[in-house]
Structure formats: C-alpha cells, structure tokens
C-alpha cells in the first residue's frame, strides 16, 4: 500500500521556495470553511489590507491571484495589453523573456531592451527605447531578477515611464518583503509578486495590485481579456468591495490562511526591519563567500540581498556539490538558470530562511564539500569571515 508522504526537513536556500515559517504551516491546517462564509469574507478583507501594506499602496484593486507568480505576471499582461499594443520590455535575465512571451501571445508587439545578465536594467537605454517608440503603451521590467541576483531601479524606471505617458508592469516576485518597494510613491501601475520567496509562505498564490489609471484602462478595453480566469473585471465580482460577493472560482481557502499568516508575520516585524535583516545576513554571507575566494556575478551596488549568484570555481562539478549539500546537509541551493546555467550557484536568503544559523550552515557546508573535492578555494575561513560581520 502506498503510504502518506513525509518529506525530509530541508533548509531551503535556493531561488524559492524558501523555508516556510511553522506558524504558516499551522495556519494552513485550520478547518476549511466555505469561500462565501462570512468568516472567510472577513479574512479576505484583512488579506487585502495586508497586501496593500506589503506593497505600500492604497490601490483598491489589490488581491491574491489563485495561482503562482507566473499567473500574476499573466494577469497583469492580459488585462492591460490588447492585440496591436506596443510594450517596451527591459530584459536582464530569464523573467524578462517570459514577459515577451506574454505580450506576443496576446498579439501585441514587444520592443526588447536587452541588458547584460547580472547588470541592473539600464535606465538610459530604456529612455532611448521610449523615445524611439512614442506609441508604446507600457514599460515592463523585473525589479529583482532571480536568475542573476540583480536589483533594478524601479523608482527611476517608473518616473521615466510616466514622462513618456506609459503604464508600468513590474515583476516583484523576489523583491517583495526583501528589498525596499513602494508602489504608490514610485507610481507603479500593475504589480505582481509570489508567496514563496521573501514572504516565506507556501507556493501557489500571487498578490497583485493595479493603480486607478490601470483600472481605467482595464474597464475601457476594446476587446475581452483573453483569459476568462484572470479577467480582473470578473474576478472583482468576488474580490471587490461590499458584501455582495459572487462566486467566480473556489478560492484556495487554506492557502489564503497561509498567506494571511505570512503577511501578519511581515507586519509584526515591520517592512523596514525585514529589508534591513535581508541586508545584514547578505553581508555576512558575502563576506564568507568572498573569503573562500568565490566571486559574485553582480556588482556590489546592484546586488540583491535575497539572491546571491556566486560563480563556480574552476573544474568543479557544480551539480555534484548541490547534490551532496542536499544529501548530507539537507540543504538546498539553486543552480544557474538560462544563460547562467552551469556557471553559477544561486544562494537564496529569503524571508524566514534569512537568518544567522542558515548563513553559517551554508558557508560551513559549502566549505567542507568544496574542500573534500579539492576545489581551488581558501578552506576553513568562510564561517569566521561571516562571524566577523556579526561581531
Ligand atoms: C519565481 C519568479 C517568478 C515565477 O513565480 P512562480 O511562482 O514560480 O510562478 C516570476 N518572476 C520572478 C522574478 C521570479 O523570481
């Protein structure tokens, strides 16, 4: 007989999912109630407020899409883009490429602004593209590129878009909860994120938010949104304000308990404190990594604290290292993605997983595994270098 599934307890230090706070797992195991139960409606109202807090926005159209970050991405594109529209996309890694896919599948034109992988999006190049394409409707970019570990200047890019009368679509799947993000202050029009990165929640939900300007564009579309499931005009019948909520799809009830708990935890800590914590542990990890003699893909000024892309030392079988870490230490780090596949490891310090114990475990384990493989590193110094930062 097939038995119940019991996975090992891992330490998740890859590009997501990250370690889930036990409080969230506990919240998820509470009784399932109906998706129109008055108690559940109360939870939905709180959830909306908590997402508004996390995004730093007053946007009325703020809700959790019942599917992972990729669906949040799709929700933003299919609602704002119509066939024939032109969208300028700044790409500096894997996820910008998916934006292009979304735009082209809608029957719209994607104007690509390519940046080197590992660099932040170049604002000057984005400006050139907007000047050359005065008919562009939207500027889209990834705030925190998880494939390379680069953080882009979302504030400057949004300001630029406004000067050129463009709406903005911003991917904040990895930045939310880990790096400063201010939707209203920066003037972001459509934003999506995920639960399993710096919110340290279980995967499968995507918080999204749309500005009033974006809502107006959605309400005045010439064509129907090509996705029935993600059409915000319909989803609002369930997530909209007031007591009259109508069935659209069955909400993932327990997954929303989990997100609620994750956001309560974030609010308890405070956004600024969460951002500072990610910086602090990143600094310690970076000190250890560099003491070992390994280097980062991204320049220090553009580095994401929550995603550390580290180059693999000469002659090392990178997959063997990851598999030893998993088998001997129950520790998961990420492989390279896209153009960086086989060239880097991606070490995540996301949400609940971003703590001193994990930094020391990761450095100690990596040091031991690489030393045993006779890799060209400085052995036995990484943990102390990190401890020096902690003081
Ligand atoms: C993880 C990620 C996504 C996709 O999220 P899923 O939940 O895996 O669908 C999109 N964009 C970025 C930047 C990500 O890191």
């Amino acid at each position: 007989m097939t038995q119940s599934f019991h996975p090992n307890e891992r330490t998740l230090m890859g590009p997501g999912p990250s370690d889930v706070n036990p409080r969230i797992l506990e919240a998820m195991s509470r009784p399932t109630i109906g998706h129109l139960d008055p108690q559940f409606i109360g939870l939905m109202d709180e959830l909306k407020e908590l997402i508004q807090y996390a995004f730093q926005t007053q946007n009325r159209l703020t809700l959790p899409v019942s599917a992972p970050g990729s669906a949040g991405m799709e929700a933003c594109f299919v609602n704002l883009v119509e066939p024939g529209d032109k969208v300028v996309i700044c790409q500096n890694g894997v996820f910008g490429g998916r934006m292009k896919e979304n735009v082209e599948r809608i029957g719209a034109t994607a104007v690509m602004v390519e940046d080197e992988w590992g660099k932040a999006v170049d604002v000057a190049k984005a400006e050139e593209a907007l000047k050359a394409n005065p008919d562009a409707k939207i500027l889209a970019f990834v705030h925190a590129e998880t494939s390379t570990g680069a953080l882009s200047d979302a504030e400057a890019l949004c300001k630029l878009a406004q000067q050129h009368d463009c709406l903005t679509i911003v991917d904040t799947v990895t930045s939310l909860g880990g790096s400063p993000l201010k939707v209203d202050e920066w003037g972001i029009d459509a934003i999506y994120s995920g639960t399993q990165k710096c919110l340290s929640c279980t995967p499968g939900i995507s918080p999204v938010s749309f500005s009033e300007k974006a809502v107006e564009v959605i309400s005045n579309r010439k064509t129907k949104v090509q996705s029935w499931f993600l059409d915000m005009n319909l989803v609002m019948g369930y997530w909209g304000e007031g007591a009259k909520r109508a069935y659209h799809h069955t909400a993932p009830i327990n997954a929303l308990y989990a997100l609620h708990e994750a956001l309560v935890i974030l609010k308890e800590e405070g956004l600024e404190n969460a951002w500072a914590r990610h910086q602090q542990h990143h600094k310690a990890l970076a000190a250890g990594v560099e003491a070992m003699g390994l280097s980062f893909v991204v320049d220090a000024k553009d580095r994401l604290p929550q995603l550390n892309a580290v180059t693999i030392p000469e002659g090392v079988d990178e997959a063997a290292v990851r598999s030893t870490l998993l088998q001997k230490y129950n520790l998961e780090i990420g492989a390279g993605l896209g153009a960086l596949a086989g060239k880097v490891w991606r070490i995540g310090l996301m949400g609940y997983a971003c703590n001193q114990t994990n930094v020391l475990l990761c450095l100690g384990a990596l040091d031991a595994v690489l030393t045993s493989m006779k890799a060209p590193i400085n052995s036995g110094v990484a943990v102390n270098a990190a401890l020096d930062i902690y003081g």
Side-chain angles (χ1 to χ4, degrees):
M1 264 258 288
T2 309
Q3 302 196 329
S4 305
F5 177 62
H6 291 282
N8 283 9
E9 287 248 5
R10 309 282 202 202
T11 299
L12 300 179
M13 298 180 74
S18 61
D19 284 342
V20 177
N21 188 318
R23 271 177 63 183
I24 296 172
L25 293 175
E26 189 271 329
M28 212 172 180
S29 70
R30 291 177 197 153
T32 303
I33 59 176
H35 63 274
L36 291 170
D37 185 311
Q39 279 195 354
F40 190 71
I41 304 288
L43 172 105
M44 289 167 70
D45 289 337
E46 283 189 18
L47 249 180
K48 180 172 160 182
E49 275 175 32
L50 287 164
I51 298 172
Q52 286 172 328
Y53 167 72
F55 277 146
Q56 294 285 284
T57 183
Q58 297 299 318
N59 286 343
R60 283 181 304 133
L61 185 48
T62 299
L63 58 101
V65 169
S66 305
S70 305
M73 177 187 277
E74 192 138 346
C76 289
F77 282 94
V78 295
N79 280 279
L80 285 179
V81 184
E82 295 196 61
D85 284 347
K86 193 185 261 191
V87 181
V88 173
I89 299 171
C90 301
Q91 180 177 9
N92 62 342
V94 165
F95 292 97
R98 292 189 177 180
M99 290 179 155
K100 178 172 190 261
E101 259 309 303
N102 270 274
V103 167
E104 289 177 346
R105 281 168 191 243
I106 292 166
T109 305
V111 177
M112 300 305 291
V113 181
E114 309 265 356
D115 287 294
E116 210 179 303
W117 288 45
K119 299 271 187 254
V121 167
D122 186 334
V123 180
K125 272 164 74 177
E127 185 167 19
E128 272 169 44
L130 288 175
K131 278 185 182 154
N133 295 278
D135 53 338
K137 178 180 178 185
I138 293 168
L139 176 70
F141 62 91
V142 178
H143 185 210
E145 224 339 313
T146 323
S147 61
T148 67
L151 179 69
S152 291
D153 189 344
E155 186 175 13
L157 288 164
C158 288
K159 196 175 281 170
L160 178 68
Q162 285 148 18
Q163 287 162 1
H164 290 267
D165 246 336
C166 277
L167 296 169
T168 43
I169 297 180
V170 186
D171 178 322
T172 61
V173 176
T174 283
S175 51
L176 182 66
S179 299
L181 170 60
K182 298 175 179 178
V183 169
D184 287 358
E185 198 180 309
W186 297 353
I188 296 173
D189 290 299
I191 188 168
Y192 59 92
S193 192
T195 46
Q196 78 277 27
K197 313 232 172 163
C198 295
L199 298 182
S200 273
C201 187
T202 48
I205 303 287
S206 176
V208 299
S209 184
F210 297 87
S211 71
E212 290 305 321
K213 228 182 345 174
V215 170
E216 212 178 292
V217 168
I218 296 170
S219 332
N220 292 316
R221 286 176 60 103
K222 294 194 280 291
T223 57
K224 272 190 180 179
V225 173
Q226 69 174 32
S227 162
W228 175 84
F229 183 65
L230 295 172
D231 184 342
M232 285 299 137
N233 295 300
L234 306 177
V235 173
M236 280 307 281
Y238 180 54
W239 274 100
E241 269 137 24
K244 264 188 84 80
R245 294 177 193 262
Y247 168 69
H248 175 261
H249 65 277
T250 307
I253 312 284
N254 294 57
L256 292 179
Y257 299 168
L259 177 57
H260 182 273
E261 190 69 16
L263 292 168
V264 165
I265 292 168
L266 179 65
K267 200 160 181 200
E268 282 172 6
E269 180 177 19
L271 270 177
E272 285 81 6
N273 294 333
W275 299 336
R277 175 169 53 84
H278 283 85
Q279 273 302 341
Q280 184 205 0
H281 296 296
H282 160 72
K283 244 196 225 165
L285 181 81
V289 162
E290 282 168 348
M292 241 188 277
L294 306 182
S295 56
F296 277 79
V297 172
V298 179
D299 294 342
K301 68 176 175 35
D302 299 326
R303 247 175 238 167
L304 280 171
Q306 61 272 48
L307 195 288
N308 298 267
V310 173
T311 50
I312 293 157
E314 199 79 16
V316 167
D317 178 350
E318 75 83 18
V321 172
R322 284 185 293 109
S323 117
T324 307
L325 289 174
L326 194 64
Q327 283 163 22
K328 289 204 179 146
Y329 297 85
N330 274 308
L331 171 65
E332 179 179 275
I333 65 168
L337 197 59
L340 295 179
K343 296 183 179 147
V344 302
W345 289 304
R346 291 183 300 153
I347 304 174
L349 280 175
M350 296 181 176
Y352 186 65
C354 180
N355 62 59
Q356 182 170 341
T357 305
N358 283 359
V359 167
L360 299 179
L361 165 72
C362 180
L363 289 171
L366 200 55
D367 185 346
V369 172
L370 289 172
T371 301
S372 75
M373 290 175 145
K374 301 198 164 39
I377 60 156
N378 306 317
S379 295
V381 294
V383 170
N384 279 324
L387 284 171
D388 280 346
I389 299 289
Y390 288 122

